Amino acid sequence: MQLSDRIIPTPQKLNVSEETISLGAFGKVAYRVEVSSAPFSTEKAANRLKEELKKRFGCEATADASLVITLQGGDAPEGVKNPAQGYSVKAEKEAITLTAFGEAGAYYAVTTLLQILKEEDGAFAIPAFDLLDYPDLAKRGHFVETRFGTDLMELEDWKQVVDAMVDVKENQLTVSVYGCWSMQYDKRISEYIFLPFKGYEDLKTPVYKKYYSPKKGDYVFDKVNTPMAEKDYFGQLRAYGKERGVEVVPMFNSLGHNTLIPRLYPEVSAKDENGNPSNTGFCTAEPKTYEILFDLYDQIIDRYSTPDNPIESFDIGLDEIRNEFAVDPNDITHRHNAWCQCPVCKSKTRQEIFFEHAAKLMKHLHSRGVKTVYMYNDMVVEHKTKSNPEPADHSPLLKEALAKHGLLDVACVDWWSYNDIPERLSFSDLHPELGFRSSIKPWNGYYHWSHVFHPVGNVYHMLKMAHAAGAEAKRSYSSWDNSFHRPNQLQADWSWNWNGTGTMDEAKARYVRRYFPNSIEAATTAFDLWDDVTRQTNPQDPKNTLSNRRGRIFESLVYYRYSYYIDGRDYPRNYPGELLPRLRDEAEFCADVRAMQQEAEEAAAIFEKVAKENPDSAKLALRYRYEMMLYTAICRDWTTLMDLDEMAANYAESKDEAIIAQMADLAAAQKNFRLEVITLLENTKEDYLIPSHARNQTIPMQYFTDLEAYLRNTPVAELKLDFADMRHMASETFMNLR
Ligand SMILES: [Zn+2]
């Protein structure tokens, strides 16, 4: 493998020469390590270097070896961006010299050396090289949402997230600790609070586990507490991150995505036209709102700050303040407004309310030592939606408000948009002319509990804007599943070194060379198939007649989407019957689902082969194989239903009872295929991911289980076979799972 491919992210300036430097073999060390004093601490970097080398070589360095590995401090040459994170490495026959320009740079220099150093043919050898490296963006990391999966993560799971970030030289992990969404499962509003608060003991959100476990040979029906809240380990996570150069930042949403607090404390809730609490959003004219919010913020700052690791960054969210359905468990069919309608609030514009609220929170946090407060951009530069076809841009007002309150140095605007196609993004630049601090928020795909896709286009176009605007940070919108390894790596590459990482094709090809060097052609084909199955298209391009598969999968094919309430439709939704009329009418849609199934199946088979050929990345390839098996299963649900629908029509005409038996066999086959994929899931993914993933798979599995039983056990004369509505055969288990 080329040296430049081994260094992650893509390094800035690298010259490699022909000469080879031998460092010895396992149990036989041919180097010594020297650490020179520097104007900053190199202790963590030095300890990591010594510990990791000892692990790899199985013994301590020898004091009298002629080859010396030196870790030292030095001055950054001209032109180095973010010098405290920069470093150089000079690897020559007798000396490997790591020169750091700051504490983080020392850590990254060590990371680079460890990335390069691999045992090959029983020995450790590296080429001589000269490297100067530093990141384009100062902060690089992920924002991880309070959602399915994170609600079951233990401290050890979070430590692995930090480790994965250390591997790609990222330095910030933002953890959402409070967020709410509409009703989806269990007739409950989806609410999450990940920290315990004194005096607010009822602020708790349980996790329901409901799925079929092939491993246990039984259904799992369980209710547990969120480990982060119950064990209160956020402080330990912050300390673990600090030790490795990763700042762990809390995010606590307000106004939007906020139902738990206003429901439990109705006095702070936004009010409706009649003065009743709407159970969502806050009334910003109510002093109690700020008493509670500041108390909760203060508890976070007091409990999780330490003298050597104070909370200096805080994320206040403030996205998607809406008037929406299904945010009140007692009244899901009416919209509830997160914008307060009380006389005081109604006398102000939304921008006045929003900017005053944001400034109030920022000032309080700033007075508590917080230096950077992140907030989303979408209430400032509105997103284009069906109900908002001509979005407004209030960014000059934001600038004015921040300047008025002296917060221009404190606020950092977090720009998010989640499309792959530039024309579909909600903005085309970050308004650098206004001069406020900004960070970019590409996403990594997020919906892992339903299905994983790799939004490479989004990552590329968003980071392109960030570099053009001189943004200071990349803070992805994410949830954590190692199946996002590829978009996560590309995020790290493009935020560290925009020019050197290159185009989407170049970045994707480098990823394949890094992890699947023995199957470059096959792995490339497999990823191309995956990207094709989940492609987004540009609706504004008249020449583009390909279907927007990503939207179709998400809107129509996966169960997850049917967990949401939609105005005018039954709830619980008529799943899967709701889609059948469309499938009957749209031949192109049907043909495309069959084509997607075939492509996913082919990609799964290739990844299985790639796993065998690349032992170092076998686990990763098998994970990707699983994802493609899941896509196959998702498409197969619908191709099976289309076939069943046709058979039912044939039966209605011929009254041939053999058709019913064939239909039962077909239902059984899809039930078994789903079971096979759930088995694969349990053998592939981490424990914290299983319940939410398996639930979304158990629901279709249960449908085919119910269908098979119905077809086999119902007297033929009593069968009602209309696949647009088979709710009469639904079992109690099926309904309980939803
Ligand atoms: Zn109000």
Side-chain angles (χ1 to χ4, degrees):
M1 200 195 294
Q2 281 180 35
L3 192 69
S4 61
D5 289 340
R6 281 196 187 176
I7 303 172
I8 305 172
T10 312
Q12 298 278 2
K13 282 174 192 152
L14 175 67
N15 288 307
V16 185
S17 72
E18 297 283 305
E19 209 178 356
T20 300
I21 306 164
S22 172
L23 288 97
F26 190 81
K28 268 197 281 180
V29 166
Y31 60 82
R32 61 198 157 92
V33 176
E34 278 179 12
V35 179
S36 312
S37 68
F40 45 83
S41 169
T42 52
E43 197 191 335
K44 283 171 197 160
N47 288 344
R48 177 152 184 249
L49 178 66
K50 288 174 192 162
E51 274 167 33
E52 282 294 322
L53 288 176
K54 192 178 156 190
K55 243 190 255 170
R56 291 197 195 178
F57 287 83
C59 55
E60 300 278 357
T62 45
D64 56 350
S66 59
L67 172 64
V68 55
I69 301 176
T70 307
L71 176 61
Q72 64 182 26
D75 293 327
E78 194 95 345
V80 166
K81 292 181 208 159
N82 301 300
Q85 298 183 53
Y87 64 96
S88 66
V89 182
K90 203 167 180 60
E92 299 167 301
K93 200 90 199 160
E94 302 277 282
I96 300 173
T97 310
L98 285 64
T99 307
F101 315 137
E103 188 176 348
Y107 205 75
Y108 296 150
V110 167
T111 304
T112 291
L113 183 64
L114 294 171
Q115 284 169 341
I116 291 168
L117 197 60
K118 290 213 165 91
E119 194 179 10
E120 275 166 322
D121 305 322
F124 291 93
I126 60 171
F129 67 93
D130 202 344
L131 167 70
L132 174 66
D133 206 11
Y134 52 85
D136 286 345
L137 300 187
K139 292 268 182 191
R140 303 162 310 280
H142 299 282
F143 162 83
V144 181
E145 188 64 278
T146 29
R147 225 35 176 122
F148 309 102
T150 44
D151 56 1
L152 289 172
M153 281 170 84
E154 300 285 348
L155 178 58
E156 288 307 311
D157 300 319
W158 283 105
K159 285 182 178 176
Q160 285 179 22
V161 176
V162 172
D163 292 346
M165 293 176 64
V166 167
D167 285 346
V168 296
K169 304 179 183 120
E170 291 192 321
N171 56 6
Q172 192 194 61
L173 167 62
T174 304
V175 179
S176 173
V177 297
Y178 175 57
C180 311
W181 286 261
S182 62
M183 181 175 285
Q184 293 183 272
Y185 298 90
D186 307 307
K187 297 200 169 80
R188 288 177 60 249
I189 308 298
S190 311
E191 294 168 332
Y192 304 85
I193 194 147
F194 282 3
L195 301 177
F197 291 97
K198 278 202 181 79
Y200 304 85
E201 277 69 23
D202 45 353
L203 281 185
K204 269 186 190 148
T205 47
V207 187
Y208 287 80
K209 299 181 180 178
K210 293 186 178 183
Y211 65 100
Y212 183 78
S213 164
K215 218 176 226 175
K216 296 189 174 77
D218 202 355
Y219 292 90
V220 173
F221 290 110
D222 202 2
K223 184 179 146 187
V224 299
N225 296 323
T226 292
M228 191 185 280
E230 189 171 57
K231 299 178 183 170
D232 197 11
Y233 60 65
F234 186 68
Q236 284 162 273
L237 173 60
R238 291 194 78 248
Y240 186 84
K242 168 82 181 171
E243 202 48 41
R244 289 156 185 78
V246 176
E247 178 190 26
V248 178
V249 177
M251 184 276 205
F252 194 107
N253 219 332
S254 73
L255 293 187
H257 289 286
N258 168 37
T259 56
L260 179 67
I261 297 173
R263 202 152 42 72
L264 294 180
Y265 304 93
E267 67 269 37
V268 305
S269 172
K271 308 292 183 289
D272 66 15
E273 304 278 356
N274 303 317
N276 298 315
S278 65
N279 289 351
T280 176
F282 290 130
C283 172
T284 53
E286 168 58 55
K288 188 86 187 162
T289 295
Y290 296 98
E291 266 174 49
I292 290 183
L293 261 185
F294 292 166
D295 189 11
L296 298 174
Y297 283 2
D298 288 351
Q299 288 198 34
I300 293 174
I301 291 168
D302 294 340
R303 189 147 11 114
Y304 305 112
S305 283
T306 52
D308 71 326
N309 190 20
I311 292 182
E312 291 185 334
S313 304
F314 202 106
D315 192 328
I316 56 174
L318 294 178
D319 61 322
E320 299 186 318
I321 306 163
R322 303 184 285 209
N323 186 10
E324 58 185 331
F325 293 103
V327 289
D328 183 337
N330 300 317
D331 180 24
I332 65 167
T333 60
H334 292 104
R335 287 181 187 274
H336 283 239
N337 204 342
W339 291 104
C340 185
Q341 303 296 311
C342 83
V344 182
C345 293
K346 265 196 104 173
S347 71
K348 295 179 183 176
T349 66
R350 285 188 177 180
Q351 284 66 49
E352 281 171 334
I353 291 176
F354 182 81
F355 294 136
E356 273 173 26
H357 178 71
K360 220 174 235 182
L361 303 189
M362 285 179 191
K363 274 192 196 161
H364 179 80
L365 289 166
H366 191 49
S367 77
R368 296 298 326 271
V370 174
K371 295 185 172 127
T372 300
V373 181
Y374 297 102
M375 60 174 278
Y376 286 120
N377 79 300
D378 57 297
M379 292 290 122
V380 180
V381 178
E382 293 174 4
H383 280 191
K384 191 173 180 171
T385 60
K386 271 183 202 155
S387 57
N388 190 13
E390 282 177 34
D393 183 343
H394 310 288
S395 43
L397 288 178
L398 173 68
K399 164 84 188 276
E400 210 180 286
L402 293 175
K404 183 176 124 193
H405 294 282
L407 291 165
L408 272 172
D409 290 343
V410 178
C412 184
V413 179
D414 217 8
W415 296 77
W416 67 274
S417 189
Y418 304 142
N419 280 295
D420 269 12
I421 311 290
E423 290 82 357
R424 295 173 74 122
L425 293 170
S426 307
F427 42 83
S428 53
D429 69 44
L430 311 188
H431 284 316
E433 76 285 359
L434 291 175
F436 44 68
R437 296 171 62 190
S438 59
S439 75
I440 198 80
K441 213 170 199 64
W443 73 338
N444 70 359
Y446 178 63
Y447 295 104
H448 59 74
W449 49 87
S450 175
H451 57 294
V452 170
F453 56 91
H454 289 169
V456 175
N458 174 265
V459 175
Y460 176 78
H461 294 294
M462 293 284 277
L463 276 156
K464 189 178 180 181
M465 273 192 259
H467 289 281
E472 63 184 58
K474 181 277 291 182
R475 313 169 66 241
S476 82
Y477 187 75
S478 299
S479 52
W480 201 261
D481 181 324
N482 287 329
S483 294
F484 291 127
H485 190 256
R486 190 168 64 131
N488 286 352
Q489 288 250 330
L490 298 189
Q491 285 189 15
D493 278 328
W494 276 313
S495 51
W496 182 277
N497 179 1
W498 175 253
N499 289 327
T501 299
T503 63
M504 281 190 264
D505 283 344
E506 285 167 335
K508 288 200 276 190
R510 185 181 298 104
Y511 178 79
V512 167
R513 293 200 304 271
R514 270 180 196 160
Y515 293 98
F516 310 108
N518 304 331
S519 328
I520 286 175
E521 207 176 311
T524 304
T525 305
F527 282 119
D528 284 348
L529 284 165
W530 183 339
D531 290 343
D532 193 47
V533 171
T534 57
R535 66 175 177 241
Q536 260 196 329
T537 48
N538 182 1
Q540 287 158 23
D541 179 358
K543 281 179 291 183
N544 202 335
T545 54
L546 294 170
S547 68
N548 181 24
R549 284 174 160 181
R550 183 176 306 168
R552 274 193 180 165
I553 292 166
F554 186 71
E555 297 295 337
S556 307
L557 303 187
V558 294
Y559 173 73
Y560 177 69
R561 198 57 177 167
Y562 295 85
S563 70
Y564 285 93
Y565 173 81
I566 287 187
D567 187 28
R569 297 201 197 159
D570 293 347
Y571 196 80
R573 300 264 294 274
N574 172 18
Y575 169 84
E578 211 181 289
L579 187 63
L580 255 284
R582 265 191 73 194
L583 288 173
R584 286 171 185 155
D585 287 352
E586 293 178 37
E588 187 224 19
F589 187 0
C590 294
D592 202 39
V593 176
R594 290 188 195 275
M596 284 158 66
Q597 181 181 323
Q598 218 166 29
E599 285 178 40
E601 217 166 343
E602 197 185 330
I606 300 174
F607 279 126
E608 197 173 4
K609 187 172 102 68
V610 168
K612 288 194 189 106
E613 293 168 352
N614 296 271
D616 289 350
S617 306
K619 259 180 104 171
L620 189 59
L622 287 175
R623 213 170 166 110
Y624 290 150
R625 178 206 170 213
Y626 161 77
E627 301 300 349
M628 288 298 96
M629 286 291 282
L630 175 59
Y631 271 93
T632 307
I634 291 165
C635 295
R636 240 185 89 151
D637 287 344
W638 300 100
T639 55
T640 301
L641 271 170
M642 288 185 251
D643 293 344
L644 286 165
D645 198 39
E646 209 178 304
M647 290 162 91
N650 289 342
Y651 170 73
E653 213 160 278
S654 68
K655 296 292 170 202
D656 176 1
E657 289 183 19
I659 295 176
I660 302 297
Q662 287 162 10
M663 289 171 75
D665 290 346
L666 198 57
Q670 182 57 7
K671 171 193 81 180
N672 288 330
F673 190 70
R674 276 287 185 177
L675 282 172
E676 198 185 306
V677 178
I678 304 173
T679 305
L680 208 52
L681 165 70
E682 284 194 302
N683 292 332
T684 305
K685 293 205 173 178
E686 294 73 16
D687 287 350
Y688 65 88
L689 295 173
I690 304 299
S692 56
H693 289 223
R695 184 174 194 168
N696 288 318
Q697 291 206 53
T698 303
I699 292 166
M701 187 281 284
Q702 190 63 44
Y703 175 84
F704 288 104
T705 304
D706 291 356
L707 181 60
E708 185 200 0
Y710 179 69
L711 291 166
R712 295 209 199 281
N713 304 333
T714 313
V716 176
E718 289 169 29
L719 282 173
K720 268 168 56 190
L721 293 176
D722 175 5
F723 285 95
D725 192 351
M726 293 294 287
R727 282 177 286 184
H728 51 278
M729 62 141 212
S731 64
E732 215 174 288
T733 307
F734 180 69
M735 295 317 291
N736 186 19
L737 285 161
R738 300 181 58 194

